Structures are given as structure tokens and as C-alpha cells.
């Protein structure tokens, strides 16, 4: 994920949400932490589905913010499983924004999230490749 993709992903987003005033600073810009949490939720959906059970975030790598997000924007988060280890899964995540009354979208954030599948005792467990 060295360079941002030029076009919006073709698959359906894992999460789509409208940003609200509670998610923003006094200037109307969305908090980076709020956006990161949406990305973590999207990656978690992919990880738990692949692991057929509980999976937890262990790392976020290469977080890049490309453009701001404003109150009222629609944020679509795309998550793609790109690597599976014995217990871990690496997921590429991109967040795109769309203004409320326009069709054009813009890549705003991207990162890789690493998850580990865990058992009922919260210990790492193997996942299928």
C-alpha cells in the first residue's frame, strides 16, 4: 500500500456511515481517531468472518491521512484480506468520503490492520489459510 489507488474499490464497502457533529472538532473536521475506529470495525468484520470466530487488532501499519472529512460527509470503508498467517490476518483498509450532495468520492485514509484469531481463553489460535 505504498501509493493510494486511483479509483474507488469496486466491491461493496464493509461499513458506510454519515459523519455527525459529535465526531468532529470545533472546526467541523472529523477526528482522525473516529475515522481509525471505523476502519478498525470494518477490518474486524473481515477478520472475524475469515477466522470463523473472535479476532483482535494487534497492529495498525502505515496509517496515512490524505484528505479531511467534514460533518455530513458519507464515509465508505473498504477492507480486503491480503495475507493470512498461522494465527494472524492482514487487512488493507481504505476510507473514502463523498460530500452529501455530490457523486464524486475521494480517498481520505488508508492503512493495514493486523488481527490475531483468539480462542475462548483469549489465546491465539490457528486460522485457515
Amino acid at each position: 500500500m505504498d501509493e493510494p489507488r486511483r479509483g474507488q474499490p469496486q466491491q461493496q464497502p464493509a461499513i458506510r456511515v454519515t459523519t455527525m457533529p459529535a465526531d468532529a472538532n470545533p472546526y467541523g473536521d472529523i477526528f482522525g481517531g473516529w475515522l481509525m475506529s471505523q476502519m478498525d470495525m470494518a477490518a474486524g468484520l473481515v477478520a472475524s468472518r475469515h477466522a470463523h470466530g473472535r479476532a483482535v487488532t494487534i497492529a495498525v501499519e502505515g496509517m496515512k491521512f490524505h484528505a479531511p472529512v467534514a460533518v455530513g460527509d458519507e464515509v465508505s470503508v473498504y477492507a480486503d484480506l491480503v495475507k493470512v498467517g498461522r494465527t494472524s490476518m492482514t487487512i488493507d483498509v481504505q476510507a473514502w468520503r463523498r460530500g452529501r450532495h455530490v457523486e464524486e468520492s475521494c480517498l481520505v485514509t488508508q492503512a493495514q490492520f493486523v488481527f490475531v484469531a483468539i480462542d475462548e481463553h483469549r489465546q491465539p489460535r490457528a486460522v485457515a489459510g
Side-chain angles (χ1 to χ4, degrees), residues 40-64:
D40 193 28
M41 282 191 275
L45 291 170
V46 171
S48 62
R49 179 176 288 153
H50 183 79
H52 301 289
R54 192 170 178 183
V56 294
T57 310
I58 63 159
V60 179
E61 301 171 350
M63 189 82 175
K64 295 179 186 175

Side-chain angles (χ1 to χ4, degrees), residues 70-124:
V71 171
D73 284 351
E74 176 186 276
V75 174
S76 298
V77 183
Y78 299 87
D80 293 312
L81 182 68
V82 295
K83 181 180 175 188
V84 178
R86 192 180 71 76
T87 63
S88 67
M89 296 155 283
T90 301
I91 300 157
D92 280 349
V93 183
Q94 294 184 356
W96 290 70
R97 69 163 289 282
R98 184 184 66 80
R100 195 151 186 84
H101 304 292
V102 299
E103 293 301 317
E104 297 83 30
S105 294
C106 169
L107 175 66
V108 294
T109 312
Q110 65 186 101
Q112 285 192 330
F113 285 72
V114 181
F115 281 75
V116 167
I118 59 172
D119 63 19
E120 63 276 1
H121 304 291
R122 299 184 176 172
Q123 297 301 307

Side-chain angles (χ1 to χ4, degrees), residues 20-31 34 69-71:
M20 301 300 285
D23 308 322
N25 65 26
Y27 302 103
D29 297 317
I30 298 305
F31 292 120
W34 178 88
V69 178
V71 171

